[in-house]
Amino acid sequence: MTALPTRVEHDLLGERAVPADAYYGIHTLRAAENFPITGSPISIYPDLIRALACIKEAAAMANHELGLLDEARMNAIVKACEEVRSGKLHDQFIVDVIQGGAGTSTNMNANEVIANRALELMGHRRGEYQYLHANEHVNMSQSTNDVYPTALKVAAYFGIFRLVDAMAHLRHAFENKAEEFRDVLKMGRTQLQDAVPMTLGQEFSTYAVMLGEDEERLKEASTLIREINLGATAIGTGINAPPDYAELVCRRLSALTGIPLITSPNLIEATQDCGAFAQLSGVLKRVAVKLSKTCSDLRLLSSGPRAGLNEINLPPMQAGSSIMPGKVNPVIPEVVNQIAFEVIGNDITVSFAAEAGQLQLNAFEPIIAHSLFKSITHLRNGCMTLADRCVRGITANRERLRELVENSIGVVTALNPYIGYANATQIAQEALATGRKVYDLVLERNLLSKAQLDEILQPEVLTRPRRMIEAQHD
């Protein structure tokens, strides 16, 4: 077998042969060998790669403006970063998403890819770092400890608003169903027992409202993500960066990303604190918990079709069993339930990792990043799938719903103000014991007239506050 061509690079540990066609270098190669953990490279998160490119581009422009980087190198770095931001060279970001070193491997992967592409643009070969160096030029005025958390925040910010859009898409689907089912009377339940009547539209509107509330909570969490520590360098003191660099690079990065970024007022605190990530993770968990509750409701309401509640029909998506003919399962709500379980677990991971940071740096931000990006991505995909492959196709079993209301003892609650609690209790007990309808028993005892009962038990009376009708008098 013919050996693939290589180039020789060196670092503090010695020399290594790097594939000649690779844009990454020796630091990335060692990291890829050291961390064979998940088999997933950081390129599975394109937002992270684009964020890194934005930071390197902003840094190059700031360093040039401050007289630290010549125009030729600045232009080459900027052009290379623009290519990465457009989606090129992402396959060269090969280090594992879970890695030791507080993100240094990710930062060096970016430095090397951008440096080698910039070298090509300047007319040199990859690896000719004497003309443009990954550390000295691409990483100028920077440290992993300010680049990496800033990249996570920029990437998370992009992801947050894609998730918000997906949640709005799902919310609109529920709102449309709420309008479609606004006149469908059904029994509400508490503790899985019959409670009082409501409409199916009211039930579906609650799912829309819950999503809308969490869209706002995510937007609130995004405001914390906007505060960055770029310019902090190693621990927040700004060593090896000029005095005006932090403010200038933040301004440049804001312009590139479209995010109104803010430089933290205390860079030492910002470099070690993962509170914004913990906050965001908590909000993602909140979204997951409520979304999972909604999906569990949909599965319960559609249970059956003969031996369950059978109040609604979920659109059939696939055969449900390899042994039971005709069985169809609620596979879309089930997959969203599982996403929620994962997100809840991710939040525990983020909590442990945020707490485990020591002194001036948190070394565990890679697992924080992996957990957050998984949660954001999977929740977004789950919301879109639930809306398009389930909620939009839900239908109501109107006859079944009407039957359950008519046969329910729960409607007696609506009669309390007219016949009294004692009479209502007796009616409920007799209805339960005999299987007869509350309506018939009230008429039989002459507690209310048929006209009064019909008016009291109208859907618009049962399902919202309204003044009492005048009770009959003997």
Side-chain angles (χ1 to χ4, degrees):
M1 177 180 288
T2 304
L4 295 175
T6 61
R7 66 177 186 265
V8 176
E9 294 192 12
H10 67 273
D11 62 4
L12 65 88
L13 298 181
E15 292 186 344
R16 287 296 305 273
V18 178
D21 63 349
Y23 283 91
Y24 59 81
I26 188 171
H27 296 282
T28 302
L29 179 65
R30 291 195 191 278
E33 294 171 345
N34 286 337
F35 309 121
I37 308 303
T38 68
S40 297
I42 56 174
S43 57
I44 66 169
Y45 300 123
D47 283 342
L48 176 60
I49 308 307
R50 294 189 182 99
L52 287 163
C54 286
I55 291 168
K56 299 301 175 180
E57 183 175 345
M61 290 188 291
N63 283 319
H64 174 66
E65 190 169 336
L66 293 167
L68 300 175
L69 187 66
D70 64 86
E71 187 170 1
R73 289 190 176 98
M74 185 270 290
N75 286 336
I77 292 171
V78 167
K79 177 60 177 175
C81 290
E82 288 174 347
E83 291 183 1
V84 174
R85 289 199 289 120
S86 72
K88 296 179 180 179
L89 302 179
H90 283 212
D91 63 326
Q92 297 296 303
F93 290 80
I94 65 169
V95 297
D96 200 274
V97 289
I98 299 180
Q99 56 192 251
T104 297
S105 298
T106 292
N107 187 37
M108 284 306 304
N109 197 162
N111 288 334
E112 290 177 336
V113 170
I114 291 166
N116 279 306
R117 179 56 184 144
L119 282 168
E120 284 186 334
L121 293 168
M122 294 175 71
H124 304 294
R125 290 180 298 179
R126 300 171 207 176
E128 293 187 333
Y129 298 127
Q130 67 269 31
Y131 301 108
L132 189 150
H133 198 277
N135 293 81
E136 294 176 6
H137 300 116
V138 180
N139 200 61
M140 181 181 287
S141 303
Q142 303 155 61
S143 163
T144 292
N145 302 346
D146 62 349
V147 168
Y148 190 71
T150 299
L152 302 193
K153 289 183 176 182
V154 169
Y157 192 93
F158 290 147
I160 286 170
F161 284 92
R162 274 201 298 274
L163 173 55
V164 168
D165 289 343
M167 291 170 65
H169 181 69
L170 177 58
R171 171 169 53 82
H172 293 321
F174 276 119
E175 288 170 345
N176 290 337
K177 285 298 167 182
E179 176 63 21
E180 179 183 341
F181 300 149
R182 69 186 184 280
D183 61 343
V184 181
L185 193 65
K186 63 159 289 176
M187 284 304 299
R189 297 178 180 85
T190 57
Q191 295 159 275
L192 295 180
Q193 307 299 303
D194 296 355
V196 296
M198 64 186 303
T199 68
L200 190 60
Q202 287 175 320
E203 190 163 41
F204 272 68
S205 72
T206 64
Y207 305 140
V209 170
M210 287 194 293
L211 283 160
E213 289 177 345
D214 285 350
E215 289 171 46
E216 295 305 311
R217 301 295 81 75
L218 276 172
K219 292 174 185 176
E220 291 168 1
S222 74
T223 62
L224 295 179
I225 294 296
R226 294 190 297 114
E227 185 179 293
I228 62 172
N229 73 326
L230 199 58
T233 65
I235 65 169
T237 60
I239 191 172
N240 291 352
D244 297 330
Y245 172 79
E247 179 184 351
L248 180 56
V249 76
C250 181
R251 195 160 66 242
R252 290 289 192 177
L253 186 58
S254 293
L256 284 171
T257 61
I259 303 171
L261 299 167
I262 303 166
T263 298
S264 173
N266 189 316
L267 291 176
I268 296 176
E269 180 275 334
T271 303
Q272 64 184 272
D273 180 33
C274 289
F277 297 133
Q279 169 77 8
L280 173 58
S281 181
V283 175
L284 293 172
K285 181 182 75 172
R286 169 184 166 135
V287 173
V289 166
K290 293 163 72 175
L291 196 58
S292 186
K293 188 271 183 192
T294 296
C295 287
S296 294
D297 281 1
L298 295 179
R299 291 190 294 112
L300 184 59
L301 292 172
S302 64
S303 60
R306 297 289 178 87
L309 295 184
N310 192 32
E311 293 190 352
I312 62 174
N313 304 303
L314 306 185
M317 302 310 299
Q318 62 188 59
S321 175
S322 61
I323 188 174
M324 293 172 279
K327 193 171 189 291
V328 178
N329 295 327
V331 293
I332 302 302
E334 286 173 351
V335 77
V336 177
N337 280 129
Q338 291 173 80
I339 291 169
F341 306 155
E342 179 195 35
V343 172
I344 293 166
N346 290 341
D347 180 59
I348 294 173
T349 299
V350 171
S351 298
F352 274 114
E355 182 276 333
Q358 296 168 316
L359 303 177
Q360 280 69 59
L361 181 67
N362 189 306
F364 307 110
E365 286 181 354
I367 194 64
I368 291 176
H370 186 41
S371 299
L372 287 176
F373 296 153
K374 280 195 301 179
S375 293
I376 291 170
T377 302
H378 295 176
L379 281 172
R380 179 192 177 278
N381 294 342
C383 286
M384 297 299 291
T385 300
L386 184 61
D388 295 339
R389 303 188 70 81
C390 181
V391 176
R392 292 185 184 280
I394 291 175
T395 57
N397 290 327
R398 294 172 181 258
E399 294 299 322
R400 168 69 171 166
L401 289 161
R402 184 182 303 111
E403 176 189 357
L404 290 173
V405 172
E406 290 176 353
N407 289 324
S408 173
I409 298 168
V411 296
V412 78
T413 302
L415 306 179
N416 273 353
Y418 305 100
I419 65 176
Y421 188 84
N423 281 332
T425 300
Q426 291 176 4
I427 293 290
Q429 290 175 328
E430 185 174 349
L432 183 61
T434 64
R436 298 181 64 193
K437 294 182 179 180
V438 167
Y439 186 99
D440 295 336
L441 292 172
V442 171
L443 282 179
E444 185 178 286
R445 296 191 181 192
N446 199 32
L447 295 172
L448 290 170
S449 68
K450 185 177 186 304
Q452 289 172 320
L453 267 174
D454 289 341
E455 184 172 355
I456 293 168
L457 297 181
Q458 292 180 84
E460 61 268 24
V461 177
L462 289 173
T463 59
R464 59 181 57 89
R466 184 172 173 177
R467 292 184 183 279
M468 288 177 54
I469 67 167
E470 185 177 346
Q472 71 176 21
H473 299 286
D474 293 331

